[in-house]
Amino acid sequence: MINIKKLSVALKNKDTVRWIIKDGYSYILTEHFGLKTKKEIKGSALTALIKIIGGIPQEGQGLENHYGLRSQLNKDKIDSTISLFNISNRYKSVEFTHLIQQLDQNLYSIFKADTYIYADKTYVDLINLNKKDIEFVGRDKISPIYATKEEEKILIVPVRLREELQYLTA
């Protein structure tokens, strides 16, 4: 489900990037998105992560670059980062609408829950939408949207727009 080839683009200009390897999973988290996968990180994604983080974490280890300060994560930060991928029962199914909105130079994918939820298309592109049985869950405009398939997960932080788009209001 996760499109690793799009990861290097999604990592551009991020202020904070964490990469943890634990129990055979890679957890990659930025201020705008996160992913959990067993896929091998390779190619341009690996190159981008090494350039940002300064290395490759070992099993059970986490590395971070926070505004240019590189460090190794302690156990509490590793555990709190991994816990972000635990989806609570307060989340419910949301619909991926396939609609895209352009505002200024930015493209946003639109999800439908009780309200419309907008997510930067760059991060939605991390999801291979050609795969079947991808489940999308969320809560509201300010809670992360999760895409899950089997054990892979992507979380995307929604974008808050100043006003609802008129053609979507009923």
Side-chain angles (χ1 to χ4, degrees):
M1 172 197 69
I2 294 175
N3 190 349
I4 295 293
K5 291 179 181 178
K6 301 283 185 166
L7 183 57
S8 62
V9 173
L11 288 169
K12 285 187 180 173
N13 302 317
K14 294 291 162 260
D15 296 322
T16 301
V17 177
R18 287 182 182 174
W19 185 9
I20 298 165
I21 297 178
K22 187 164 183 188
D23 300 326
Y25 287 97
S26 276
Y27 297 86
I28 298 168
L29 186 73
T30 74
E31 61 271 26
H32 297 109
F33 73 92
L35 58 88
K36 172 187 175 184
T37 186
K38 280 195 172 188
K39 285 184 180 176
E40 180 183 1
I41 308 297
K42 57 185 180 179
S44 62
L46 179 61
T47 302
L49 278 167
I50 291 172
K51 184 177 176 184
I52 294 166
I53 299 288
I56 300 172
Q58 299 299 309
E59 173 63 39
Q61 183 184 37
L63 300 175
E64 177 182 65
N65 183 333
H66 181 67
Y67 289 94
L69 180 63
R70 293 177 177 166
S71 62
Q72 187 168 333
L73 298 174
N74 63 32
K75 183 185 179 325
D76 289 340
K77 281 192 177 183
I78 289 172
D79 292 344
S80 68
T81 300
I82 290 172
S83 74
L84 293 172
F85 293 90
N86 297 331
I87 302 171
S88 81
N89 59 4
R90 296 182 303 165
Y91 284 81
K92 55 190 172 198
S93 183
V94 297
E95 177 188 354
F96 176 67
T97 66
H98 296 279
L99 296 173
I100 296 174
Q101 175 64 41
Q102 180 173 356
L103 296 173
D104 299 322
Q105 299 297 317
N106 301 314
L107 292 176
Y108 301 102
S109 293
I110 303 172
F111 293 82
K112 174 78 170 104
D114 294 337
T115 60
Y116 290 100
I117 303 170
Y118 301 88
D120 190 310
K121 187 174 179 319
T122 302
Y123 312 129
V124 175
D125 285 347
L126 289 168
I127 305 165
N128 183 348
L129 296 168
N130 294 325
K131 298 287 183 185
K132 294 182 181 189
D133 301 326
I134 298 173
E135 181 182 8
F136 294 97
V137 296
R139 277 195 343 228
D140 50 41
K141 294 184 203 184
I142 60 172
S143 299
I145 299 164
Y146 290 88
T148 65
K149 181 175 171 85
E150 297 161 6
E151 289 298 310
E152 285 192 319
K153 294 181 184 175
I154 295 179
L155 72 85
I156 301 170
V157 177
V159 176
R160 295 184 209 170
L161 299 180
R162 290 187 202 123
E163 56 189 59
E164 282 286 321
L165 301 172
Q166 284 189 323
Y167 69 87
L168 291 176
T169 57

